[in-house]
Amino acid sequence: MGTSPAIACGLAPEELPPRLSQARRLGTSLRDVHVDGSHASLRFDGPGIRAQIERFVSAESTCCPFFKFEIRPEGTTTILSIEAPDEGAPLLRGLVAGFVSAWELPS
């Protein structure tokens, strides 16, 4: 029987601002987001966005190994699905908030 990874972010305090900045940059290409409990689906458009998402997922996987990421193409869109254990839902919402913080609301 294996052990589950701890439900905690392993980022050092000084690593948080650059990671949030990376999420915000990706968020400028975010077109749609859906969060349901411990699952999120984010839709991105833009040239080279998949490679940027892959870099983010690679970095995020080291500090938050309890997240499960899936990246898949859908036409010209890249879908990022993120799942967390039920007790990780608040951290999932925090991660999604980092992307959404870059959204511009229409005036």
Side-chain angles (χ1 to χ4, degrees):
M1 174 181 355
T3 59
S4 298
I7 308 301
C9 180
L11 277 180
E14 66 275 5
E15 295 173 305
L16 187 56
R19 185 67 53 82
L20 285 173
S21 179
Q22 187 181 17
R24 284 187 190 109
R25 280 192 307 277
L26 284 169
T28 62
S29 298
L30 185 62
R31 299 299 172 249
D32 186 44
V33 63
H34 179 77
V35 179
D36 184 12
S38 59
H39 179 265
S41 179
L42 297 92
R43 224 175 243 290
F44 297 88
D45 286 326
I49 196 67
R50 181 179 177 120
Q52 294 173 49
I53 293 169
E54 288 172 347
R55 284 191 294 275
F56 181 87
V57 165
S58 177
E60 195 65 19
S61 294
T62 62
C63 67
C64 296
F66 58 90
F67 284 136
K68 292 182 183 173
F69 296 97
E70 178 188 357
I71 303 167
R72 69 182 187 281
E74 188 175 280
T76 60
T77 300
T78 299
I79 309 295
L80 172 60
S81 295
I82 311 166
E83 286 198 41
D86 289 341
E87 59 272 20
L91 288 171
L92 174 69
R93 287 191 300 274
L95 178 61
V96 171
F99 292 110
V100 174
S101 68
W103 267 5
E104 295 287 330
L105 296 176
S107 40

